[in-house]
Each structure stands twice: as structure tokens, then as C-alpha cells.
């Protein structure tokens, strides 16, 4: 067990009861008015909120260091082992949450994961923390790893996601514990999608509301069910679908059922998939891409799910990252590919798996530092495979794997079924090296998979390679 002490030299130290050692605490905390506010044990480490004459400190046991983060000793209070606040901010340990409201902050009941103030939902797991704004914090209710407002259900896994397809999971609990709240689980919910009619594509309407329809829960053995997601705040008189994913009214642009913050409805135009732009900015998945030049921006057709795109100076791809710093929730956000040369960047395969610029090879939009650009050659696509090679080896884009045992400097593709180097025979059909094959005598005999070497004849039957002794 560790505890904090002030020694005779007026130094604040961490005392270890087991071995009796005293370790000075880094960071500058002093003995004057020193006080332990609270401590928390995580494993064998002790974390703590401390106070001295200067203010409030957070002790990070992993670094053996205290950091001063608030001088507001009068208003400071600890909420739990992760949250505290003073008169200005809510803090996650020692990190101030920008624009947070300590007066309205509260931990939500019936869950270890969620808290809220008047602006944010705070989402916390054992390994991640983020803020979520796209929820009505005036009406939020939590139930274990689900939370909801009156219109939408959310589920916390690696991050918070919309879960309107899972409403049956918590409907009965909400009806029992919150029967007086006029939310989506209420019999007289004001924005029910019953009798919704199709406007166009995925856009639907009732007399009072606009919905964006998605499908959820489909498997090879079970048909997906339609889910109607309410588009909040729509001006029905000016609402206009623009394509399958974007719409607008006189005040806003909508990506599916979410508002595209800051987008100009008068000049907004879809660019395919989750891409769009207005006169000043580019948007992807409903989030603004600050670095992109809207005038020069172009999308690589067929790669919308990867986000591959470019302007005059940069190349971009989609990544699951925070939507804002430092605590934004994770989602698909368009990110600049560092070091990519926009002037020479090009896709070179029908599957859009491989791309190149002057200096590098890219697999699914990510630079691959192990592949030699100068000798790189795309061989062919055979869905879902996409084969390529360089002087070092043979590569398959499906699964991002390098074929072991093939020498790229001597490898030759014979046809879409076979290839070989000076030592081994390789089958593109099975993705395997044939160690029993004799590379020196191996040759193809027809264009439907037939081949032979000194010992065997090879045929392709029903997608399988068969061999027989000669």
C-alpha cells in the first residue's frame, strides 16, 4: 500500500509500506498546505487528487508525477475516480473539458459509462473517453451500455454509435422505468414512423416528420429489417433530398439523419457517397474537412468507402479518428495522407486496391513502406483477389498479405492461374506455393488452368487444383 507523506526536509514523497522506501514526487508539488484529497487504486498503482498552497494536483502513478491543473481550491470537488470539477471546468483526471459546465454536470444513474452536462454526453469505458454532442442532453436516459434521448438510441462499444435498430433491446425497460417520458418507446410518441411514405431513395416522410431509412440485422439466414431514423429539426416546407445520402432545407444540410454543421444549404452539392461540398468547404460523413480546397477537390470514383480523394496539394483517405480534439467521439473522418504527392497520385487497379504516386505504393489508401515503388507491378484482379509484385516479393491485396516463399526478382506470371520463380511454382487460384512442383520444367498447357512439369499434370476443376503423376 502506498501513501503520501511530508518528510523532515519538507518534501512530498510517496511511501511504500511494503519495503519502507520513500520516493520524491516529480512535478513541483510542495509541503505548504499539503493535503491528500482522495486516492484511487488501479492494480498496484495509487492515483490521487492532491492539494498544496499553489492549488489542485493530479498524481499520475505511472509517471510518479503530480501536475497542477486548477488553482480554484474553494470550488474544487471530486466526483469520482475519473471526474472532478471546479467553478470553470469539468476535468477528466487533470484534463479540462473545453466548454464544459460544472454546474450541470452529473453522473447518469443505472450505468458506469455515461455522464452529462447541458452540452455534452460524457462517454467513458475502461480504455477510452470521448464527448458526444449529437444527443439531446435535456432528455438523456442511460441503461447500462445503452443511452437514449426521446428520438434516438445509442450503444457504447469501442465508441458511441447510433443503435436505432436495437430499440427492442431496451423498449420494455424504458416503458417500465420511464413511462411518463414521451420518447420513442411511448405509445403516443409524436414522431412515429408509422405510415411513413417514400419521398425518394432512403428518404421518407409522415405528416409531421422526415426519416432516413437504413437496414439493420441482416444475415445470410435472416432478412434485414428497415429502421427509420428521425431527421431532427427539419423545415418541411423547404426540405429537399439531394441524393441518396444528402438533403437540405432552407437552414441546414443533412447527411442521412445528422445535421452537417456549418454547411451552406444554398451552395451545397453532393459529390458521391459520403462526400459533399459547399462554396467554401469539403465534407465527408457529415464532418467538415478543414484542410481540403473545395474548388480543386475531386473524389476517386468507386472508393467512397475508403474516402480516397485529393485536391491540388493533398491526398485524403477516411480513418476512424476523433471528430475533434481533444475529446471528440471517434468516427469515419477524412484525413490527409502525409507525404502523398497529389500531382502524381493515381489508382491503378479496377478493385481500387492499389495506388501509386512518384515515390510510394499505397494499399487501400495506406502507404506501404515495404513495397519497392520502382519495381512495383500490378498483375491482375480476380475478385476478391488483387495481385501485384515488386523485386522483393508477391502481394495479395485481399487481406493485405505478402506471399511467403516467392522471390520477386525472378517471379514470372504465366497466366491468371499460375506463376513461378526459379525455385517454386505458385497458384493464383489457391494463393499457395506448390512445393512439389518443379519450377525449372513447369509450363502452362492451356488457358483454363492446365499445366505440367516433369512429374505432374495440373488441372483446375470446380475452383480446385488437381494434380496427377505423369
Amino acid at each position: 500500500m502506498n501513501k503520501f507523506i511530508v518528510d523532515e526536509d519538507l518534501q512530498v514523497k510517496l511511501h511504500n509500506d511494503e519495503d519502507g522506501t520513500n520516493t520524491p514526487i516529480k512535478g513541483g508539488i510542495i509541503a505548504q498546505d499539503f493535503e491528500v484529497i482522495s486516492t484511487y487504486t488501479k492494480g498496484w498503482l495509487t492515483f490521487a487528487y492532491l492539494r498544496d498552497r499553489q492549488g489542485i494536483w493530479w498524481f499520475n502513478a505511472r509517471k510518479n508525477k503530480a501536475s497542477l491543473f486548477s488553482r480554484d481550491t474553494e470550488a474544487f470537488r471530486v466526483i469520482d475516480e475519473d471526474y472532478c470539477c471546479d467553478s470553470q471546468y469539468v476535468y477528466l483526471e487533470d484534463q479540462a473539458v473545453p466548454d464544459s459546465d460544472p454546474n450541470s454536470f452529473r453522473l447518469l444513474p443505472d450505468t458506469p459509462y455515461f455522464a452529462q452536462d447541458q452540452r455534452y454526453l460524457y462517454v467513458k469505458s475502461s480504455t477510452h473517453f470521448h464527448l458526444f454532442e449529437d444527443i439531446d442532453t435535456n432528455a438523456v436516459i442511460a441503461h447500462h451500455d445503452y443511452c437514449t434521448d426521446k428520438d434516438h438510441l445509442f450503444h457504447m462499444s469501442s465508441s458511441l454509435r447510433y443503435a436505432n435498430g436495437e430499440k427492442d433491446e431496451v423498449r420494455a425497460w424504458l416503458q417500465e422505468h420511464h413511462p411518463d417520458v414521451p420518447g420513442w418507446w411511448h405509445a403516443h410518441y409524436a414522431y412515429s414512423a408509422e405510415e411513413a411514405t417514400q419521398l425518394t431513395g432512403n428518404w421518407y416522410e409522415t405528416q409531421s416528420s422526415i426519416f432516413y431509412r437504413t437496414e439493420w440485422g441482416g444475415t445470410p439466414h435472416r432478412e434485414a429489417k428497415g429502421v427509420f431514423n428521425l431527421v431532427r429539426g427539419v423545415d418541411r416546407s423547404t426540405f429537399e433530398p439531394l441524393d441518396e445520402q444528402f438533403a437540405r432545407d432552407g437552414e441546414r444540410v443533412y447527411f442521412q439523419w445528422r445535421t452537417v454543421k456549418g454547411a451552406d444549404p444554398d451552395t451545397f452539392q453532393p459529390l458521391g457517397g459520403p462526400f459533399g461540398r459547399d462554396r467554401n468547404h469539403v465534407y465527408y460523413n457529415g464532418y467538415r474537412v478543414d484542410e481540403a480546397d473545395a474548388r480543386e477537390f475531386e473524389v476517386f470514383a468507386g472508393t467512397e468507402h475508403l474516402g480516397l480523394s485529393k485536391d491540388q496539394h493533398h491526398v485524403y483517405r477516411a480513418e476512424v479518428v476523433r471528430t475533434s480534439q481533444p475529446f471528440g467521439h471517434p468516427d469515419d473522418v477524412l484525413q490527409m495522407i502525409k507525404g502523398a504527392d497529389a500531382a502524381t497520385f493515381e489508382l491503378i487497379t479496377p478493385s481500387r486496391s492499389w495506388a501509386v504516386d512518384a515515390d510510394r505504393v499505397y494499399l487501400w489508401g495506406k502507404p506501404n513502406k515495404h513495397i519497392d515503388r520502382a519495381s512495383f507491378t500490378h498483375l491482375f484482379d480476380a475478385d476478391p483477389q488483387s495481385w501485384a509484385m515488386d523485386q522483393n516479393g508477391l502481394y495479395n491485396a485481399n487481406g493485405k498479405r505478402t506471399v511467403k516463399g516467392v522471390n520477386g526478382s525472378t517471379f514470372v506470371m504465366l497466366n491468371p492461374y499460375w506463376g513461378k520463380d526459379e525455385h517454386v511454382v505458385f497458384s493464383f487460384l489457391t494463393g499457395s506455393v506448390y512445393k512439389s512442383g518443379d519450377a525449372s520444367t513447369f509450363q502452362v498447357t492451356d488457358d483454363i488452368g492446365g499445366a505440367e512439369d516433369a512429374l505432374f499434370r495440373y488441372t483446375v476443376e470446380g475452383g480446385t487444383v488437381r494434380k496427377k503423376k505423369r
Side-chain angles (χ1 to χ4, degrees):
M1 179 67 181
N2 296 328
K3 62 183 178 182
F4 298 90
I5 64 169
V6 176
D7 68 8
E8 66 253 11
D9 297 323
L10 299 182
Q11 281 190 304
V12 179
K13 294 184 176 180
L14 187 66
H15 176 76
N16 188 316
D17 282 341
E18 289 189 6
D19 58 19
T21 58
N22 295 325
T23 304
I25 295 174
K26 303 174 186 176
I29 194 168
I30 61 177
Q32 288 178 292
D33 300 329
F34 176 78
E35 178 186 356
V36 178
I37 300 174
S38 60
T39 60
Y40 305 98
T41 302
K42 297 181 181 179
W44 55 275
L45 297 175
T46 300
F47 296 78
Y49 290 107
L50 309 173
R51 185 200 318 259
D52 70 3
R53 187 175 183 180
Q54 304 167 84
I56 307 298
W57 300 72
W58 168 251
F59 176 71
N60 186 330
R62 294 184 181 89
K63 299 179 180 179
N64 188 42
K65 184 177 181 180
S67 57
L68 178 67
F69 67 92
S70 174
R71 298 185 185 275
D72 188 0
T73 56
E74 293 297 322
F76 180 80
R77 61 189 174 97
V78 175
I79 299 168
D80 70 358
E81 62 184 47
D82 294 304
Y83 296 118
C84 61
C85 66
D86 58 20
S87 61
Q88 288 187 296
Y89 296 107
V90 176
Y91 297 85
L92 176 71
E93 296 180 348
D94 61 336
Q95 299 296 307
V97 177
D99 302 318
S100 54
D101 179 38
N103 293 323
S104 61
F105 182 85
R106 69 184 183 107
L107 301 174
L108 291 176
D110 197 46
T111 178
Y113 304 112
F114 304 115
Q116 70 163 111
D117 63 17
Q118 64 183 5
R119 178 175 179 181
Y120 296 121
L121 180 73
Y122 295 67
V123 184
K124 179 187 66 176
S125 68
S126 60
T127 56
H128 297 90
F129 171 82
H130 63 266
L131 303 172
F132 194 78
E133 293 185 78
D134 199 17
I135 191 170
D136 181 2
T137 55
N138 294 315
V140 66
I141 298 169
H143 181 54
H144 301 310
D145 50 357
Y146 285 97
C147 66
T148 190
D149 57 22
K150 292 179 182 179
D151 304 315
H152 294 287
L153 179 67
F154 305 86
H155 184 248
M156 201 281 291
S157 49
S158 57
S159 65
L160 196 67
R161 60 177 178 82
Y162 280 89
N164 288 325
E166 301 172 29
K167 286 180 174 178
D168 288 341
E169 300 291 326
V170 294
R171 189 186 304 274
W173 184 87
L174 288 165
Q175 288 172 342
E176 178 183 354
H177 291 85
H178 298 277
D180 298 328
V181 177
W184 54 262
W185 59 95
H186 198 279
H188 302 293
Y189 174 53
Y191 305 108
S192 170
E194 289 185 14
E195 300 182 1
T197 59
Q198 187 179 37
L199 282 169
T200 181
N202 294 320
W203 301 100
Y204 284 73
E205 68 173 349
T206 63
Q207 289 185 349
S208 63
S209 308
I210 300 292
F211 297 88
Y212 187 83
R213 185 184 185 276
T214 55
E215 293 190 345
W216 177 85
T219 69
H221 306 290
R222 183 178 65 186
E223 186 177 353
K225 72 174 183 179
V227 177
F228 290 86
N229 304 277
L230 176 70
V231 185
R232 291 198 263 214
V234 170
D235 177 5
R236 294 290 311 283
S237 65
T238 58
F239 181 78
E240 174 191 7
L242 297 174
D243 70 354
E244 279 293 310
Q245 302 203 57
F246 286 100
R248 66 184 172 192
D249 61 19
E251 299 293 330
R252 302 180 185 89
V253 176
Y254 304 94
F255 174 71
Q256 299 181 0
W257 61 92
R258 295 189 282 114
T259 299
V260 182
K261 294 181 180 178
D264 175 29
D266 292 333
T267 62
F268 189 88
Q269 61 179 133
L271 298 176
F275 286 97
R277 68 178 164 200
D278 61 19
R279 72 176 75 184
N280 296 316
H281 298 289
V282 173
Y283 302 86
Y284 181 83
N285 193 30
Y287 305 106
R288 193 168 80 186
V289 187
D290 289 324
E291 303 87 353
D293 183 346
R295 295 167 298 177
E296 303 288 341
F297 189 81
E298 59 181 285
V299 177
F300 289 99
T303 69
E304 290 83 358
H305 62 296
L306 298 172
L308 288 180
S309 50
K310 70 176 184 176
D311 58 22
Q312 189 173 2
H313 301 290
H314 304 293
V315 183
Y316 305 88
R317 74 179 302 274
E319 295 184 39
V320 178
V321 297
R322 292 187 182 273
T323 52
S324 62
Q325 294 296 331
F327 297 129
H329 71 279
D331 205 343
D332 284 320
V333 178
L334 205 64
Q335 298 285 286
M336 187 189 306
I337 303 175
K338 293 181 180 179
D341 178 28
T344 59
F345 187 91
E346 62 175 330
L347 293 172
I348 60 172
T349 61
S351 66
R352 279 75 174 175
S353 52
W354 299 100
V356 296
D357 63 13
D359 299 313
R360 296 190 295 187
V361 177
Y362 300 81
L363 178 54
W364 304 117
K366 290 186 177 181
N368 190 310
K369 62 182 180 181
H370 302 294
I371 297 177
D372 176 59
R373 171 67 184 96
S375 61
F376 176 78
T377 303
H378 172 247
L379 299 175
F380 71 101
D381 278 12
D383 188 42
Q385 317 296 337
S386 182
W387 297 96
M389 62 176 288
D390 67 0
Q391 64 181 7
N392 301 311
L394 178 66
Y395 310 97
N396 178 11
N398 183 32
K400 306 179 183 179
R401 68 185 179 91
T402 301
V403 178
K404 294 181 179 180
V406 172
N407 184 342
S409 63
T410 61
F411 184 80
V412 177
M413 173 182 164
L414 302 175
N415 66 12
Y417 295 94
W418 299 102
K420 67 177 183 178
D421 63 17
E422 77 272 36
H423 296 300
V424 300
V425 174
F426 179 79
S427 167
F428 289 108
L429 185 68
T430 64
S432 302
V433 169
Y434 277 75
K435 296 181 179 180
S436 60
D438 178 35
S440 62
T441 60
F442 187 89
Q443 60 183 349
V444 297
T445 56
D446 58 44
D447 58 1
I448 57 172
E452 64 182 15
D453 60 21
L455 300 175
F456 298 98
R457 288 189 174 92
Y458 304 84
T459 58
V460 173
E461 300 176 18
T464 302
V465 175
R466 301 187 183 278
K467 66 179 183 179
K468 295 181 179 180
K469 286 187 176 182
R470 297 189 58 140

